[in-house]
Amino acid sequence: MEDLLAETNPLYGRVTLRLEVRQLPLRDLPGFFPEYSAEQLTETYAIFGGVPYYLTLSDQHASLRENVINLLLTETGTLIDEPNTLLLRKRVLHKLGIMNLARKPGT
């Protein structure tokens, strides 16, 4: 990941399109889980937030428990490594920010 974000990478700084996908509000969750109660929707939002990718991976007919097990807790789960990926990305971006500050004179 660090190599991909490094200035030495030939693709560094070449952004052709930046698309910001914001998290969905809680009121949009019934579209993903029409059979869930208000309490279940709130619990689902507490775990997956409003991240559209996570919500589309979930099975609308499965319980929240089954979705969490299938996506996060099994070795073949699509989101099994998501916590590590998010933490690594934040660590890399934090390190890049510090490196940029260190390069600027007078900081």
Side-chain angles (χ1 to χ4, degrees), residues 6-72:
E7 288 183 29
T8 56
N9 187 313
L11 298 178
Y12 176 80
R14 294 185 186 183
V15 177
T16 56
L17 174 67
R18 179 168 282 158
L19 178 64
E20 183 178 337
V21 178
R22 296 180 186 196
Q23 78 177 32
L24 299 172
L26 176 59
R27 70 175 175 268
D28 289 340
L29 255 62
F32 291 92
F33 307 99
E35 299 172 11
Y36 280 20
S37 68
E39 182 178 340
Q40 291 169 317
L41 291 170
T42 304
E43 291 171 344
T44 302
Y45 196 80
I47 293 173
F48 292 115
V51 180
Y53 177 65
Y54 300 163
L55 298 173
T56 58
L57 292 175
S58 300
D59 179 356
Q60 68 176 356
H61 301 293
S63 69
L64 174 59
R65 184 178 196 279
E66 292 168 331
N67 277 319
V68 168
I69 290 170
N70 292 336
L71 294 172
L72 293 164

Side-chain angles (χ1 to χ4, degrees), residues 68-82:
V68 168
I69 290 170
N70 292 336
L71 294 172
L72 293 164
L73 303 177
T74 59
E75 289 185 25
T76 58
T78 308
L79 301 176
I80 187 72
D81 203 39
E82 194 69 5

